[in-house]
Amino acid sequence: MGAHEDYGVARQRFDVADAAPLMLDAHGEVSSWSRDAERLLAYEAPEAVGMPLADLLEPEDARRVPQVVERCRRDGAWAGLLTARSKDGRPVRVMARITSALETRGSTRWLVLLSELAGAPGWDMSRPVLEQMVAHSPIGIAIVDTDLRYVWSNDTLSRFGGGPPSARLGMRLADIQPGLDSEAIEAQMRHVLDTGEPVVGYEHVGNVRSAPHRETAHMLSFTRLDDDQGRPMGVYYTVFDITEKHRARQRLALLDRAGEHIGRSLDIMQTAQELADVAVPELADFVAVDLLETVLRGAEPTAGPLADNDPVPLRRAGHQSVNADVPEAVVDIGAVATYLAGSPPIRCLTTGRSWREERLDPLSREWAADIPGGRHATFLELGLHSVMIVPLRARGTTLGVTTFFRRRRQEHFDEDDLHLAEDLVSRAAVCVDNARRYTRERDAALVLQRSLLPHRLPEQGAVEVAACYRPADELTGLGGDWYDLIPLSGARVALVVGEVPGHGIGAAAAMGRLRTAVRTLAALDLRPEEVLAHLDDLVARSAPEEGVEPYARGTDVGSGCVYVVYDPVDGRCAMAAAGHPAPAVVLPDGTVTFVELPQGPPLGVGGPPFEAVELSLAEGSTLALHTDGLLAADGEEAWAVDADRDRLRGVLARRAPSLDLRCRAVVDALVPARPYDDVALLMARTRRLTAGQVAVWDLPADPAVVAEARKAATRQLAEWDLNEPAFTTELIVSELVTNAIRHSTGPIRLRLIRERALVCEVFDGGATAPHLRHPRTTDEGGRGLLLVSQLAQRWGTRFVPDGKIIWAEQSLTDPGE
C-alpha cells in the first residue's frame, strides 16, 4: 500500500481538523486555496484560484452543482458525497461540506471542506455493498414511501415483531404491529416528510408482538429521502432497542422518588404507607407492609422463637393498589395480620432473606390466617399472579416484611425487579427504624415530662386557676415547657411558667430540675426578682459542672421563666421575667393588656440584674402566663410579634362558660392540633379577701401587750366561729408577739387571715431571721419557736422592705388536703 493509500486509510471519519478547506465566491469560483486542498487534488494555488467548482468534479457530479448551490442558498449549508477530479485526472471520493461565510460588505462567500473518504483502492460503495452493511446491522432499518408503506426493511427489524421483510412490503406500521402506538410514530414520519427536518432520538415505550407481556422501549430516528430534484421519496428510519436502559432509568427514578417521599415524617405508620405508595404502580400492582407489634410501640423488634405451626401476628402498617379501595387487601391498615410460622412471609421474617415466585399457584390461599370476618381468598380470586417478599431490615434487625404482587401487569417479577425491591425496602427500613427510635424517645420524653408537671394544681383561695399543656407533635419540639402554682404564706400564691432550651428527654429532665429549684426558692418567700437572681446563679454555677454551653440541648442554661406573686389581701401583684414573654391581663370588663415587664436575660447566661414590677389587680382580673410556643417564635420581626399579640388579645377577649374552657379555647385557636413546639398556658382569675377575713392590730413593744393580743385573737376567732383552733392560736400569738418584743425594736403588728387556713402573722422591724432552737431541759427559754413549729401546720419568715414577718398557719380543712 503506497503513501497515498496510507493517507486514505487514516481518514476513516470526517474530521474538520483533517479536512481540506477552500473558499468559493458568489459565482461558485475558487477564491482561496489551501495547502491541504493542494495535497488532496494536486492543484497549486495559482492554478486553482478562479476555477469553477464544477471543473474540480467528475462530470456526473459537476451536473449537480446548480442543485447544490440552490440548496446552499436555501438552507445556508449542504453536505454530501462528491467525486472530485485531481490534476492528474484521478477520481477522488470526498465528503463535502459547504457553508456560507457572509462578509461584512454583504457579499456571500462559501467555505468548502473536503475530506477524502476511507477505503482502499478498488473499493466502491455500490448498492450490493450498502445492502450488505444494512442487512447485517444490529439496528433495525426500514424505508417507507410517502404513503408510509414499507418498501424495504432489513432482517434486524423482524426482531421487534411484524414479520420478515417480505411480509412488510406494502403494509403500514399499524397493520403489522397493532399493539404499537402507530399513530404517534407515523405522526413523526409525516412531520419529517413535510419539513425535511430529521427526528433523532424519539423514544417509544410500549408492547410489541415479540414481547406482548413485557414493556419495551425503542429509540427511533427518521430522515427524509429525496430524489435528484429534491422531491420527497419517503422516510428512512432506524430502530434501536433501549429497553434495558429504559428500565435502568425507571429504577433510578423510582429510587430517587423513594428518597424524596419516604421518611418525610417520623411516624411509623405513615412511613410504611409511603413505601407502599411509592412502589405502586411503578414496580407492583399491590403492596402490603406488615410490621412487628413491638416496632410500632417503639420497642426493640422481636418475634420470639417459632415452631412450624405457631401463628405470628404482624400489624398491617400500610398498603396500596392500582385499584381503588384496594380490593386485594384482606387485612385493613392497623389490623393484625396473623401468618403461620411456615408461610413465606414468616420465613422471610425469620431468615432475613427475600423470596420471589414468578407464577403463584392460582388455587393457593392467601397466607394470612385468623382474618376478621373469615375472608380467606385464593390468589385466583384476588387476581394476583406473581409475588416478591422482602424483609425490612435495618441495622441488622428485621422489622417486618413487604409483599409485592402483580395483578394487572402480566409480566412476572424477575431478578432485576427483586434487586430493585430490595434497594427500595432497605431505604425505607432505615426510615422505619428511625421512626421507631424516635417514637421510643418521644414517648419516654413525654412520660417524663408529664410526670414532672403538676397532675393537679393545689387548692387555694387566692385565684381561680386553669392550665393547658399541649406537647409538640415532633420530638424536635417536645421540650421543657412547664407551669406551676405554689401556695405562699399570707394566703398569697406564686404563678410560674417557664421553658428550657433543647428537646427530648434531656430537656424534660432539665425542666424537672428547674421546677424543683423554683419550688425550693419559693419556700423562702423571696421577692420575684430575688427568686430569679438565685435561680440564675444556681443555673450558672451548675453549667461548668455539667460541661455545657449556653442554650445547649437539654440543659438549664438559657432557660426562660416568669415568676408572679399575687396577694389576695390587697390585690397587689409583683412579677419578674428571665428571657420569657410578659403575661397578659384580662380586666373584668374584657379589656386585654400586656404587662410592661422589663425583660431580664435568660437564666445562666449573665447580664443585668432582674427587675420586678408591681401592679394592683381588680378582683376578677385574669392573668395569662404562657410559653413562646403560643406566640411568634424567637427571631421574628417586631411587627410579627405584635401581630401575634393582637391575635392573642382577640382570643383572650372572648367569653367562655368557665376559665378551664376559656384556657382550652385560647390554645385551640392559636395552636395547631399537632404543634411543632410545646405550648403551656396558665390562666389565673384573681380573688380578693373580704374585710371580714382579715384582722389587724398594731401593738406597742411592751410585754404587757401580750395578754391583750391573746384576748383580741380569741375574740376574733369567736366572731369567725372558729372555736376549735382558739387555744392553739392563743399559744401561737403569745409566742410570736413575745418573740417580736424580745428580739426587735419599733412597732409590732399582728394580723389574722381566715381563708382555707388560719394564718397568724406578726410583723416587727427587725432584720434578723429567727432560728429554731432545741433547748436543754435546764434552759429557762428558747422554746417559743419550737412550740410554734409543733402547733402549726407550717411556719416561716419572710422579709419585707421595713422589717420581717413571722407567720404560722393552721389548716381549716381536712389535714390531708
Side-chain angles (χ1 to χ4, degrees):
M1 184 178 291
H4 179 74
E5 294 168 3
D6 288 340
Y7 173 73
V9 171
R11 295 179 176 270
Q12 291 296 320
R13 300 179 64 182
F14 187 92
D15 191 334
V16 173
D18 295 332
L22 59 99
M23 296 292 294
L24 302 178
D25 60 18
H27 303 291
E29 296 179 352
V30 176
S31 61
S32 178
W33 190 258
S34 65
R35 290 186 178 275
D36 288 331
E38 180 178 345
R39 284 195 297 270
L40 181 64
L41 299 181
Y43 289 103
E44 296 182 356
E47 299 173 309
V49 173
M51 292 179 62
L53 176 62
D55 292 349
L56 295 174
L57 303 175
E58 287 290 309
E60 181 179 355
D61 284 342
R63 292 191 290 271
R64 297 175 55 198
V65 169
Q67 180 182 345
V68 171
V69 171
E70 179 63 27
R71 290 284 294 274
C72 288
R73 288 174 178 168
R74 185 185 70 189
D75 301 331
W78 179 87
L81 295 174
L82 294 174
T83 303
R85 185 177 58 191
S86 66
K87 182 177 180 180
D88 58 4
R90 178 178 57 83
V92 180
R93 294 281 289 172
V94 296
M95 169 63 77
R97 295 195 178 187
I98 305 175
T99 57
S100 65
L102 187 65
E103 293 189 336
T104 57
R105 292 170 295 178
S107 61
T108 301
R109 300 180 67 191
W110 302 94
L111 171 65
V112 181
L113 299 175
L114 302 178
S115 180
E116 185 176 10
L117 287 179
W123 278 79
D124 183 12
M125 299 302 290
S126 60
R127 180 185 178 94
V129 173
L130 293 175
E131 286 186 348
Q132 289 183 58
M133 291 173 57
V134 298
H136 301 295
S137 170
I139 300 174
I141 306 173
I143 299 174
V144 297
D145 59 19
T146 54
D147 293 329
L148 306 185
R149 297 186 179 277
Y150 284 95
V151 297
W152 180 86
S153 63
N154 68 349
D155 291 332
T156 306
L157 196 64
S158 304
R159 302 176 189 171
F160 309 124
S166 59
R168 294 175 179 269
L169 294 178
M171 306 287 284
R172 295 271 296 270
L173 184 60
D175 299 329
I176 60 174
Q177 290 277 24
L180 214 59
D181 187 4
S182 56
E183 291 186 4
I185 297 176
E186 290 188 347
Q188 297 294 326
M189 295 180 181
R190 289 194 179 91
H191 173 77
V192 173
L193 280 173
D194 295 340
T195 64
E197 299 174 355
V199 173
V200 180
Y202 173 76
E203 290 191 23
H204 177 269
V205 179
N207 301 93
V208 296
R209 279 189 170 181
S210 59
H213 301 308
R214 183 172 181 264
E215 185 180 74
T216 57
H218 300 90
M219 180 176 290
L220 296 88
S221 297
F222 307 90
T223 305
R224 191 175 75 180
L225 298 177
D226 297 337
D227 60 14
D228 291 342
Q229 281 71 44
R231 292 173 299 191
M233 297 172 54
V235 174
Y236 160 87
Y237 77 89
T238 60
V239 183
F240 184 70
D241 190 343
I242 58 168
T243 300
E244 293 305 317
K245 183 185 295 185
H246 171 72
R247 296 189 71 179
R249 283 204 306 263
Q250 283 185 319
R251 289 192 289 269
L252 290 175
L254 181 60
L255 293 175
D256 182 66
R257 183 164 170 254
E260 180 180 352
H261 292 278
I262 298 177
R264 291 180 294 182
S265 74
L266 288 171
D267 182 274
I268 297 176
M269 297 288 284
Q270 183 176 338
T271 303
Q273 184 60 47
E274 288 167 350
L275 168 58
D277 291 341
V278 166
V280 175
E282 281 81 0
L283 179 58
D285 297 328
F286 171 59
V287 173
V289 183
D290 297 322
L291 300 177
L292 289 165
E293 191 74 39
T294 51
V295 172
L296 294 171
R297 295 198 302 268
E300 290 297 329
T302 176
L306 302 174
D308 289 342
N309 294 320
D310 284 347
V312 180
L314 299 177
R315 184 76 63 174
R316 177 61 51 88
H319 58 220
Q320 188 54 273
S321 170
V322 293
N323 300 299
D325 301 327
V326 196
E328 304 90 343
V330 296
V331 177
D332 296 330
I333 292 178
V336 173
T338 302
Y339 300 95
L340 294 178
S343 61
I346 303 306
R347 287 204 304 269
C348 293
L349 182 72
T350 54
T351 64
R353 293 192 295 271
S354 303
W355 179 77
R356 175 176 65 93
E357 187 71 24
E358 293 185 1
R359 294 295 177 189
L360 284 167
D361 182 354
L363 300 181
S364 295
R365 292 189 178 275
E366 213 274 343
W367 298 302
D370 297 333
I371 300 172
R375 185 191 167 193
H376 292 274
T378 65
F379 290 116
L380 179 62
E381 292 170 337
L382 297 174
L384 307 174
H385 65 84
S386 188
V387 66
M388 297 184 298
I389 303 177
V390 179
L392 280 105
R393 287 182 57 82
R395 302 176 177 96
T397 304
T398 304
L399 311 173
V401 293
T402 304
T403 309
F404 302 81
F405 287 101
R406 288 266 169 88
R407 176 177 180 172
R408 183 180 300 174
R409 196 174 354 175
Q410 293 303 309
E411 181 183 358
H412 58 74
F413 289 118
D414 57 20
E415 281 296 324
D416 289 340
D417 292 324
L418 182 60
H419 294 326
L420 175 59
E422 289 174 338
D423 287 343
L424 186 65
V425 172
S426 67
R427 296 187 180 199
V430 173
C431 297
V432 170
D433 193 51
N434 289 341
R436 177 190 68 81
R437 291 165 177 250
Y438 159 81
T439 299
R440 179 182 60 191
E441 184 171 350
R442 181 182 184 275
D443 290 347
L446 191 58
V447 169
L448 176 61
Q449 188 177 41
R450 284 177 172 166
S451 68
L452 295 173
L453 289 173
H455 297 285
R456 187 180 66 172
L457 293 173
E459 296 289 342
Q460 41 73 44
V463 292
E464 178 190 356
V465 67
C468 184
Y469 170 73
R470 182 165 293 176
D473 178 58
E474 301 294 340
L475 182 63
T476 53
L478 182 62
D481 288 18
W482 57 280
Y483 60 89
D484 209 348
L485 182 146
I486 307 169
L488 302 177
S489 65
R492 300 170 305 134
V493 292
L495 305 169
V496 193
V497 167
E499 58 184 320
V500 301
H503 310 289
I505 294 177
M511 176 268 285
R513 294 194 299 268
L514 199 61
R515 178 171 176 257
T516 301
V518 169
R519 293 184 71 89
T520 302
L521 292 171
L524 300 177
D525 261 331
L526 303 173
R527 292 178 54 82
E529 68 273 23
E530 294 174 342
V531 169
L532 293 184
H534 283 286
L535 194 61
D536 177 70
D537 182 61
L538 177 66
V539 171
R541 283 189 288 107
S542 64
E545 298 173 6
E546 299 175 4
V548 299
E549 297 294 330
Y551 304 101
R553 181 180 186 271
T555 67
D556 306 333
V557 180
S559 299
C561 179
V562 60
Y563 188 87
V564 179
V565 175
Y566 174 70
D567 189 344
V569 174
D570 55 10
R572 298 296 295 175
C573 181
M575 62 183 71
H580 199 85
V585 178
V586 185
L587 301 178
D589 63 359
T591 304
V592 180
T593 62
F594 291 90
V595 180
E596 295 297 329
L597 182 62
Q599 276 295 318
L603 298 173
V605 301
F610 299 99
E611 297 181 49
V613 296
E614 289 192 8
L615 60 154
S616 181
L617 296 178
E619 185 174 10
S621 300
T622 302
L623 284 163
L625 289 71
H626 59 86
T627 55
D628 61 7
L630 192 69
L631 293 180
D634 292 340
E636 285 193 324
E637 300 293 338
W639 64 264
V641 176
D642 291 341
D644 286 326
R645 275 192 167 188
D646 290 340
R647 291 176 57 218
L648 177 58
R649 179 181 285 109
V651 175
L652 286 173
R654 299 174 189 171
R655 301 286 183 179
S658 68
L659 188 62
D660 185 68
L661 292 177
R662 192 177 195 178
C663 185
R664 293 184 181 276
V666 171
V667 174
D668 290 340
L670 298 178
V671 180
R674 305 177 69 178
Y676 174 76
D677 194 8
D678 284 10
V679 175
L681 174 64
L682 179 65
M683 298 184 72
R685 182 179 293 142
T686 61
R687 296 174 177 145
R688 283 283 189 95
L689 298 184
T690 64
Q693 292 179 274
V694 182
V696 182
W697 299 271
D698 290 319
L699 306 174
D702 183 356
V705 81
V706 175
E708 292 298 326
R710 288 199 303 266
K711 292 177 183 179
T714 302
R715 286 194 299 268
Q716 185 62 54
L717 292 184
E719 290 181 17
W720 285 341
D721 196 22
L722 297 176
N723 299 318
E724 184 176 344
F727 177 73
T728 303
T729 305
E730 280 189 51
L731 292 176
I732 292 175
V733 169
S734 177
E735 294 299 333
L736 293 184
V737 172
T738 299
N739 190 73
I741 294 172
R742 181 175 298 174
H743 297 289
S744 66
T745 59
I748 298 171
R749 185 181 304 117
L750 170 65
R751 185 169 74 165
L752 295 180
I753 301 173
R754 179 177 63 86
E755 206 262 330
R756 294 179 63 84
L758 177 61
V759 182
C760 176
E761 297 182 340
V762 175
F763 163 82
D764 64 59
T768 59
H771 296 285
L772 183 65
R773 294 171 55 191
H774 295 275
R776 293 170 296 185
T777 307
T778 58
D779 290 344
E780 295 182 0
R783 294 178 176 82
L785 290 182
L786 177 61
L787 182 62
V788 170
S789 69
Q790 296 298 314
L791 295 175
Q793 184 181 33
R794 60 184 189 134
W795 74 281
T797 303
R798 72 174 182 271
F799 288 91
V800 292
D802 51 352
K804 68 176 181 296
I805 295 172
I806 303 177
W807 56 271
E809 200 174 278
Q810 302 173 73
S811 176
L812 297 179
T813 60
D814 188 337
E817 294 183 9

